Amino acid sequence: TEHAQEQGFVLAIDQGTTSSRAIIFDRQGHIVSTAQQEIKQYYPKPGWVEHDASEIWVSVLGVVASALSQAEIAPDRIKAIGITNQRETAVVWDRHTGRPIHHAIVWQSRQTQDICEELKRQGHEDLIRRKTGLLIDPYFSGTKIKWLLDHVEGARERAESGDLLFGTIDSWLVWKLSGGKAHVTDYSNASRTLLYNIFELAWDDELLGVLGVPRSMLPEVRSSSEVYAHTVEHHFFGKRVPIAGIAGDQQAALFGQACFERGMAKNTYGTGCFMLMNTGSEAVRSSHGLLTTIAWGIGGQVEYALEGSVFVAGSAMQWLRDGLRMLKTSADSEAYASRVPSTEGVYVVPAFVGMGTPYWDSDMRGAVFGLTRGTTKEHFIRATLESLAYQSKDVLDVMTLDSGLELQGLRVDGGAVRNDFLMQFQSDLLGADVERPVVNETTALGAAYLAGLAVGYWSGKQEIADGWKLERTFKPAMPEGERERLHAGWKKAVQAAMAFKP
Ligand code: G3P
């Protein structure tokens, strides 16, 4: 420990959809301490999801203080701070007072569906796809900013006179940590806004025009690994610490999983489920509903990824726990699911906020199929758990088509990967190896790596790749016919759910 104290540590702030976390890592990439705080979810109308950005800021200060004190680490032992965040969630605040003008609109929220319909009617789909690698869906930040400017009284005028700033959560936190000095974001977060040209690496005037967003609101786009600013001393740090890494949480996880080579992919089971495949310096365009996105930019080199986005994964388990009260903890789902040999044909389609890849249907609702008098809680829980794997299977299928690359093994991380039942079922469904690393906090680790690289704490990608350690491989054991039968049932269930529009 004395040696470690000497070398210092790197702090990762992981601001996610349901909680804020601070994790301190040492040079070996081991976790020294971790603190977590849930944040409040606001559901003002069905399908709408909002956060209080001020509460997020306070929760971040809280978890950082607690991670430091738990490990008895003086703030001056922190060599760099890396930030990773729930992506797309849009905050607009007043640059003079630092106060948000409204709740942040969360990535899951469907409240800009009308704006999206209008954009489609105006025929902007192709323009957006061509420049941003994304498609028109309430998921991305651009329409959320427009919504805020349209709905908050006086906001548009204030934005036009340069008084308002926009940021995703990373920008918001760096701005707060730096005492309002730095208004920045990184390539990976910028690539999720609908306003950024991922090929020219610039905010795009045409897109800004289409969405009516004044350029003066936008953060400066920087690389994912460099010193952007220092913390102000009056925060609990008592010292200026460099903020040196930023990446959206899914890109950070790809980095933390050391997926540095073309064709390497990871799947993160968080609130949602996001599979990203590194495509190197080439931006691969999808014809099957995958997103083309920036993985990171380091030292003037930008790398791209193909992404499949599943909106509901861990949140389906929370729904079983909090909404239906079928579970005490999400982890209990494993025991319930294992008590029955199958769901006996029950399928849960958790389309609570529509569905992303490959369906992109933003107004569908969730559904349950195949109930009989013999259906039990165990079947129901198992079917919900299996829906995480089915959705990931749908994503991997189109990823194989679009990339032309056959997956060797899928690296997994996120809370639900501790669920052995789910991991085995996932491997069975994919017919591919599922590889679980020793450190499954890869999102935070990725942010720590990006920050540590910028200040010379780690030497380079090779050292990081060498540090990636496999904990367990799940190998496919299900007969081909069985896999196909189960998956065909799922496909039918999704089609039926899509056909039902209340
Ligand atoms: O795109 C949304 C994603 O970044 C949210 O991640 O981990 O909060 O579910 P998570």
Side-chain angles (χ1 to χ4, degrees):
T1 28
E2 217 166 278
H3 184 51
Q5 283 284 353
E6 224 163 83
Q7 288 184 321
F9 307 90
V10 172
L11 166 70
I13 296 171
D14 177 1
Q15 206 301 304
T17 313
T18 54
S19 70
S20 300
R21 300 187 318 144
I23 303 187
I24 297 174
F25 292 95
D26 65 15
R27 274 244 24 223
Q28 284 64 51
H30 293 146
I31 293 174
V32 177
S33 74
T34 162
Q36 173 164 5
Q37 201 173 304
E38 298 234 337
I39 57 165
K40 190 165 158 53
Q41 311 290 316
Y42 296 87
Y43 305 110
K45 291 192 183 163
W48 295 28
V49 190
E50 296 180 350
H51 287 160
D52 176 350
S54 300
E55 181 200 338
I56 286 180
W57 163 238
V58 171
S59 73
V60 165
L61 288 181
V63 292
V64 170
S66 134
L68 287 168
S69 77
Q70 269 176 55
E72 296 182 29
I73 290 173
D76 67 354
R77 298 284 76 212
I78 300 295
K79 298 294 176 198
I81 300 173
I83 294 182
T84 183
N85 55 292
Q86 52 166 323
R87 306 168 304 166
E88 298 98 9
T89 297
V91 190
V92 172
W93 69 95
D94 184 307
R95 74 155 84 227
H96 312 291
T97 64
R99 246 181 251 127
I101 63 163
H102 189 273
H103 279 165
I105 304 187
V106 176
W107 60 275
Q108 289 176 314
S109 190
R110 308 279 93 192
Q111 72 211 69
T112 61
Q113 205 165 317
D114 291 347
I115 299 176
C116 289
E117 291 310 320
E118 183 58 25
L119 290 175
K120 285 184 195 163
R121 259 197 304 278
Q122 294 168 349
H124 291 310
E125 204 133 24
D126 190 56
L127 171 81
I128 284 175
R129 191 187 298 266
R130 201 157 32 81
K131 290 187 166 181
T132 68
L134 309 174
L135 27 83
I136 299 178
D137 188 271
Y139 178 27
F140 308 104
S141 321
T143 59
K144 302 182 195 290
I145 307 173
K146 179 173 167 51
W147 190 95
L148 287 167
L149 297 186
D150 288 347
H151 288 79
V152 178
E153 218 192 296
R156 187 163 291 282
E157 293 72 47
R158 283 161 74 197
E160 268 155 17
S161 50
D163 294 328
L164 300 185
L165 299 177
F166 153 76
T168 36
I169 298 291
D170 55 310
S171 300
W172 167 244
L173 293 179
V174 175
W175 195 82
K176 294 297 272 182
L177 284 167
S178 68
K181 281 228 179 70
H183 183 219
V184 298
T185 188
D186 87 304
Y187 290 117
S188 70
N189 277 294
S191 76
R192 316 295 294 186
T193 56
L194 223 60
L195 303 171
Y196 192 70
N197 188 317
I198 63 167
F199 303 94
E200 290 172 5
L201 305 179
W203 296 118
D204 190 281
D205 282 324
E206 193 178 4
L207 296 173
L208 293 178
V210 165
L211 283 154
V213 175
R215 190 178 258 271
S216 60
M217 296 180 75
L218 301 175
E220 186 189 341
V221 183
R222 306 273 287 267
S223 85
S224 312
S225 177
E226 66 173 84
V227 177
Y228 314 97
H230 290 79
T231 56
V232 289
E233 285 168 50
H234 63 251
H235 295 322
F236 51 88
F237 291 105
K239 184 186 173 277
R240 287 159 48 82
V241 181
I243 308 165
I246 304 178
D249 57 8
Q250 303 310 321
Q251 286 91 334
L254 190 69
F255 201 82
Q257 287 275 29
C259 291
F260 297 144
E261 264 150 67
R262 210 182 126 77
M264 289 179 82
K266 68 87 200 179
N267 198 23
T268 302
Y269 301 76
T271 308
C273 214
F274 299 86
M275 195 186 295
L276 272 73
M277 179 185 274
N278 186 329
T279 62
S281 54
E282 187 199 353
V284 176
R285 292 184 187 273
S286 168
S287 33
H288 299 92
L290 294 170
L291 307 172
T292 309
T293 208
I294 298 182
W296 46 72
I298 302 173
Q301 237 347 88
V302 163
E303 297 200 88
Y304 295 90
L306 266 177
E307 168 174 329
S309 315
V310 169
F311 296 151
V312 173
S315 57
M317 307 319 293
Q318 290 178 338
W319 167 71
L320 287 185
R321 187 193 65 191
D322 306 334
L324 303 188
R325 285 179 223 101
M326 275 195 186
L327 292 171
K328 275 222 185 65
T329 70
S330 300
D332 290 346
S333 61
E334 179 164 15
Y336 281 107
S338 307
R339 249 179 249 157
V340 286
S342 81
T343 68
E344 288 180 6
V346 175
Y347 289 93
V348 172
V349 182
F352 306 143
V353 291
M355 282 181 107
T357 308
Y359 309 104
W360 294 105
D361 186 334
S362 59
D363 58 1
M364 69 186 285
R365 297 280 177 94
V368 184
F369 295 95
L371 300 177
T372 67
R373 181 62 186 81
T375 300
T376 63
K377 177 174 171 176
E378 283 76 11
H379 297 118
F380 201 94
I381 291 170
R382 180 170 172 136
T384 308
L385 204 46
E386 288 186 355
S387 75
L388 277 58
Y390 283 117
Q391 294 181 95
S392 299
K393 158 81 173 154
D394 287 343
V395 168
L396 189 71
D397 282 353
V398 291
M399 202 164 265
T400 314
L401 280 176
D402 277 335
S403 68
L405 299 166
E406 198 64 51
L407 193 78
Q408 295 314 316
L410 181 65
R411 297 187 170 186
V412 295
D413 55 82
V417 304
R418 282 185 292 263
N419 190 316
D420 289 347
F421 163 80
L422 175 63
M423 291 301 102
Q424 184 57 50
F425 187 75
Q426 185 72 82
S427 171
D428 286 344
L429 260 192
L430 298 178
D433 286 2
V434 167
E435 300 169 348
R436 185 168 66 189
V438 174
V439 178
N440 85 56
E441 296 291 356
T442 41
T443 298
L445 184 57
Y449 279 151
L450 288 166
L453 284 175
V455 299
Y457 186 75
W458 283 292
S459 59
K461 280 185 183 170
Q462 192 53 51
E463 187 183 359
I464 293 169
D466 293 343
W468 189 89
K469 296 274 178 313
L470 181 72
E471 185 255 334
R472 177 169 170 191
T473 302
F474 294 85
K475 294 207 165 281
M478 187 183 277
E480 180 84 33
E482 169 84 347
R483 172 191 316 150
E484 274 162 17
R485 188 181 61 78
L486 289 174
H487 191 223
W490 162 257
K491 284 283 194 191
K492 269 193 226 163
V494 173
Q495 292 310 325
M498 283 169 83
F500 175 79
K501 292 276 150 73

